[in-house]
Amino acid sequence: MRTDSSPGTLPAREHLPAGDAGTPVLDVVIPVYNEEKDLQPCVLRLHEHLKRTFPYAFRITIADNASIDTTPQVAARLESEIPEVKSFRLEQKGRGRALRTVWSASDAPILAYMDVDLSTDLNALLPLVAPLISGHSDLAIGSRLARSSRVVRGAKREFISRTYNLILRGSLQARFSDAQCGFKAIRRDVAQALLPLVEDTGWFFDTEMLVLAERAGLRIHEVPVDWVDDPNSTVHIVKTATEDLKGVWRVGKALASGSLPLDRVTRPFGDDPRDRDIKDVPKGLARQLVGFCVVGGLSTLFYLVLYSAFRQFSGSQIANALALLVSAVANTAANRRLTFGVRGRGGAVRHQAQGLVVFAIGLALTSGSLAALNAASSNPAHSTELAVLVAANLAATVLRFLLFRAWVFPDRGDSTDESTVVALNSPSSPTYSTAATTPRNAQHHGAYGPLPTRQPQPQQGTYDTTTYDTTTQFRAGEAADGTWRDATMQLQPVRPHDTDPRDPR
């Protein structure tokens, strides 16, 4: 039986407990390009809202995407005047590049972003990040297409948005309702494991991140939002839509080929410590049934075509055996890849051998049915033979699925009990222990240590990152060897091409 018992690289989600610490809980990133007029009103409005309504420490980070107007000067002035505001400049454009760079270097346990026009009502911000703080969800998105959302925008953009999301549902089987609303949040531990898999550096970054997270089994929380379209938006709709469609094709091809290591971004079953030893939890039964039915339907058509062809020059028993053998090999290969998600050549021969055993059972059922038909009628019509074979194959199909799931393609729990996360922290950012083993008791603090409360800038505090069997204690800015470094957050590019002027993107 396939299970969810593999822990992957992410520990179980946990509530970030309240306490005193020097790290902000929330880091809101505002990516901007030539926004000298809107940047200051946006930041002041967002800062006032967070000061008034958000119960924990926060940071607002302005990510300048190579602006050529006075946006960098406005960002620098805001940083100097407001303690909670930081600014960072990238020398290349790209919203995805800016978000990846800032999120990867941030030390806040909850990372968010919103568009500079603040089209989304800020009252949705606390409901957006609350499920991430509580440990209920891994990512959270604002949805303009939810039933209770209230949206004001033109018919053209409404049509484009809904069409794009229908394309995502049809091509990538996306279940989230709104991929491109500029109002999202993610847990930092999830971002560390997920962002290296996201290739896009532009507007498709959001969609790619959500699709990969959903395919990896992470939980995405949706918040209905009130949203008013900005008539002065600088987004080039046609160009953005073209790039998005290219991204859909690229991600779809990667998912179909199995080249994405999504097992690195999985969660163990049971966030309660008492549930983490549960084994043999069924995984993806509904999806497997759908995939098996699709493959089975196509295989049945293929089998009937082969049977009709072989029947032209052989008896019914020989034609049935040959058609069933060829279709069984194709059926096993298709189910191995598409239904049960087994990639690579490893074990392929063994799977085909086991599939032939299943084939023998199907052959016995169908041959027995034909023998019974021939015993009842000396010269049955061809249509009658086909009807009997279809009925026999239906019975064989149910048995085939059970044998495939429990015997041919079971989840054998190849992963060990221990797994390690490689954190993408910058050298000066606080480093959190992510060595994952079975927890020794139910009392633990979570991967980020105590949850900060909003207060005047504290002294450098001690972080306790006891989560599993490995405990690391340090103070912000202190290295493992006991020396001290600059504790100022330095934003480092995740990939070399993020600041490489030779990169054409």
Side-chain angles (χ1 to χ4, degrees):
M1 180 178 293
R2 302 183 66 81
T3 70
D4 277 330
S5 58
S6 174
T9 60
L10 294 176
R13 289 182 298 266
E14 297 171 0
H15 193 295
L16 304 178
D20 295 330
T23 304
V25 175
L26 175 65
D27 191 350
V28 182
V29 181
I30 304 176
V32 293
Y33 174 72
N34 290 348
E35 298 287 355
E36 57 185 1
K37 294 182 179 180
D38 295 335
L39 180 57
Q40 179 168 326
C42 161
V43 172
L44 293 178
R45 179 183 166 196
L46 175 60
H47 180 265
E48 188 277 332
H49 177 84
L50 288 170
K51 275 283 190 182
R52 179 169 49 87
T53 65
F54 194 69
Y56 306 113
F58 64 88
R59 178 192 300 129
I60 301 173
T61 302
I62 303 169
D64 177 20
N65 290 305
S67 296
I68 57 177
D69 60 1
T70 61
T71 297
Q73 290 74 28
V74 176
R77 184 173 68 251
L78 290 169
E79 182 179 18
S80 64
E81 295 176 353
I82 305 175
E84 292 86 1
V85 175
K86 303 296 178 184
S87 65
F88 179 73
R89 177 175 173 83
L90 289 88
E91 297 304 325
Q92 286 184 289
K93 293 175 62 177
R95 182 179 68 171
R97 177 180 288 111
L99 291 177
R100 180 191 291 112
T101 304
V102 177
W103 278 357
S104 297
S106 178
D107 55 353
I110 306 299
L111 311 169
Y113 96 89
M114 59 182 62
D115 293 335
V116 68
D117 55 17
L118 296 186
S119 295
T120 305
D121 184 7
L122 292 178
N123 287 325
L125 182 56
L126 185 56
L128 183 80
V129 301
L132 308 186
I133 294 175
S134 70
H136 174 270
S137 301
D138 299 295
L139 299 91
I141 64 174
S143 175
R144 299 163 296 183
L145 302 180
R147 181 166 299 179
S148 58
S149 298
R150 296 186 299 178
V151 177
V152 178
R153 61 177 168 182
K156 178 181 178 181
R157 297 198 66 171
E158 179 77 10
F159 173 78
I160 292 175
S161 179
R162 291 188 179 275
T163 301
Y164 178 68
N165 282 280
L166 285 175
I167 292 174
L168 292 181
R169 288 175 178 269
S171 59
L172 300 178
Q173 289 82 49
R175 293 192 298 269
F176 47 85
S177 64
D178 192 350
Q180 292 187 314
C181 180
F183 196 71
K184 295 181 176 68
I186 185 173
R187 285 177 65 103
R188 179 175 174 266
D189 59 341
V190 176
Q192 288 177 335
L194 185 61
L195 293 185
L197 304 181
V198 180
E199 295 185 14
D200 192 79
T201 59
W203 291 95
F204 187 69
F205 174 88
D206 302 45
T207 302
E208 185 171 357
M209 178 180 67
L210 291 174
V211 169
L212 298 187
E214 189 175 71
R215 287 299 185 95
L218 300 180
R219 181 174 294 156
I220 301 175
H221 179 76
E222 295 197 17
V223 178
V225 298
D226 296 343
W227 193 84
V228 179
D229 187 17
D230 179 11
N232 299 317
S233 174
T234 58
V235 178
H236 194 294
I237 295 178
V238 176
K239 180 181 178 181
T240 301
T242 302
E243 294 299 320
D244 285 349
L245 292 177
K246 291 180 181 178
V248 169
W249 172 258
R250 174 177 55 80
V251 172
K253 185 169 63 173
L255 291 172
S257 65
S259 61
L260 291 170
L262 296 180
D263 55 331
R264 300 179 185 175
V265 201
T266 57
R267 291 280 194 190
F269 174 80
D271 295 336
D272 189 307
R274 296 167 297 181
D275 297 336
R276 293 174 195 167
D277 292 330
I278 295 178
K279 305 298 182 182
D280 296 331
V281 179
K283 176 183 179 181
L285 177 59
R287 184 191 62 80
Q288 290 176 0
L289 279 172
V290 172
F292 185 82
C293 289
V294 172
V295 172
L298 295 176
S299 298
T300 300
L301 292 177
F302 183 49
Y303 161 77
L304 294 176
V305 170
L306 290 176
Y307 176 80
S308 298
F310 293 145
R311 191 67 174 86
Q312 300 298 321
F313 56 84
S314 64
S316 61
Q317 293 290 2
I318 295 178
N320 174 63
L322 291 175
L324 196 57
L325 176 61
V326 175
S327 61
V329 172
N331 180 276
T332 300
N335 277 306
R336 181 179 187 269
R337 178 73 174 271
L338 302 177
T339 303
F340 298 98
V342 180
R343 311 294 184 185
R345 297 181 179 180
V349 176
R350 175 175 56 83
H351 292 152
Q352 284 292 351
Q354 292 172 309
L356 290 178
V357 174
V358 179
F359 151 75
I361 298 175
L363 178 62
L365 286 174
T366 54
S367 297
S369 300
L370 282 177
L373 177 63
N374 290 327
S377 176
S378 59
N379 188 23
H382 182 65
S383 59
T384 305
E385 287 183 348
L386 292 179
V388 169
L389 289 174
V390 168
N393 269 291
L394 287 176
T397 297
V398 175
L399 184 59
R400 187 183 305 122
F401 177 76
L402 296 176
L403 290 174
F404 274 175
R405 183 174 169 83
W407 179 49
V408 183
F409 306 112
D411 186 347
R412 301 183 184 277
D414 295 330
S415 59
T416 60
D417 290 337
E418 297 185 0
S419 58
T420 303
V421 176
V422 179
L424 302 176
N425 299 319
S426 63
S428 58
S429 299
T431 303
Y432 300 99
S433 170
T434 53
T437 61
T438 304
R440 53 193 174 186
N441 55 54
Q443 301 297 325
H444 40 71
H445 299 290
Y448 300 109
L451 187 64
T453 54
R454 190 173 66 226
Q455 56 185 8
Q457 190 69 22
Q459 300 295 325
Q460 291 169 322
T462 299
Y463 295 81
D464 180 10
T465 58
T466 306
T467 307
Y468 298 98
D469 288 345
T470 300
T471 303
T472 303
Q473 292 187 349
F474 58 92
R475 287 179 294 171
E478 185 178 11
D481 58 6
T483 60
W484 286 84
R485 299 189 179 96
D486 181 13
T488 305
M489 181 180 70
Q490 301 292 329
L491 297 176
Q492 302 291 338
V494 176
R495 304 181 180 182
H497 64 250
D498 281 352
T499 56
D500 190 348
R502 295 171 297 176
D503 186 1
R505 287 185 293 178

